[in-house]
Amino acid sequence: MNIRSRNTIISAILLLIPGAAYFNWLGDELRADDSPAKPMAVAKAMVGQKVAWQTLTDYQGKDWDTSSFHNQKGVVFAFLGTQCPLAKLYTLKLVSLAKEYESRGIRFVAVDSNVQDSLAEMAAHAKKFGMTMPFLKDPDQRWADELGATRTPE
């Protein structure tokens, strides 16, 4: 698979998965006072761009950093919330995509940036949906900010 095809696939995945790091084009969204919202800033991270990494811990207590993914062709970060109905709906699809693309060198990583979600709740969510991908806690939302996520599941 050439790099253009791979980047197209990754772009499609990022745009199709609600909660994945994406751009926000909600300029026509209305505020409480019925005035149009101003477009939000463009995400910092772009497909194919390297980002500054910080160490994050998964629900099992394992630390993950950039060296954890150095041999991958690409990494897809998807934001999940253990209590979000939408995230519960697309978790099974994420698990399926992770299995499908693993042999192609694409690693899926789930990230929970919700302060209210405990590691125990994350463990229960991972078990319920058969998640084998890393499921990382982003307790201060710095990773969501670094990736430019403008919405995360709640």
Side-chain angles (χ1 to χ4, degrees):
M1 175 181 299
N2 67 36
I3 195 156
R4 175 173 269 166
S5 298
R6 187 178 76 227
N7 284 344
T8 301
I9 290 170
I10 301 294
S11 297
I13 291 168
L14 287 174
L15 293 174
L16 291 175
I17 299 173
Y22 65 97
F23 298 105
N24 182 358
W25 289 289
L26 298 177
D28 57 349
E29 179 181 308
L30 293 180
R31 298 180 186 195
D33 65 359
D34 291 332
S35 66
K38 294 183 176 151
M40 298 180 85
V42 174
K44 289 183 186 180
M46 302 284 289
V47 172
Q49 176 184 346
K50 292 184 179 188
V51 293
W53 180 261
Q54 59 182 306
T55 299
L56 295 176
T57 305
D58 69 14
Y59 68 91
Q60 298 172 318
K62 180 180 177 185
D63 289 336
W64 296 80
D65 60 23
T66 49
S67 65
S68 305
F69 308 110
H70 74 278
N71 60 346
Q72 303 297 311
K73 291 181 181 176
V75 178
V76 176
F77 292 95
F79 291 90
L80 296 178
T82 63
Q83 300 169 20
C84 176
L86 183 59
K88 289 178 183 179
L89 288 174
Y90 69 77
T91 298
L92 283 176
K93 184 63 176 178
L94 280 175
V95 170
S96 173
L97 288 169
K99 288 177 184 172
E100 180 181 345
Y101 282 90
E102 182 178 27
S103 65
R104 300 176 189 172
I106 306 298
R107 183 70 181 253
F108 280 67
V109 178
V111 180
D112 188 320
S113 295
N114 295 332
V115 177
Q116 72 273 13
D117 289 349
S118 69
L119 295 178
E121 290 170 317
M122 291 173 61
H125 187 84
K127 182 177 179 180
K128 178 179 180 179
F129 293 100
M131 292 173 64
T132 57
M133 69 185 89
F135 191 11
L136 310 179
K137 184 67 175 171
D138 181 21
D140 54 8
Q141 298 85 37
R142 284 190 297 170
W143 189 238
D145 291 343
E146 179 66 32
L147 291 178
T150 56
R151 300 281 191 274
T152 59
E154 293 183 29

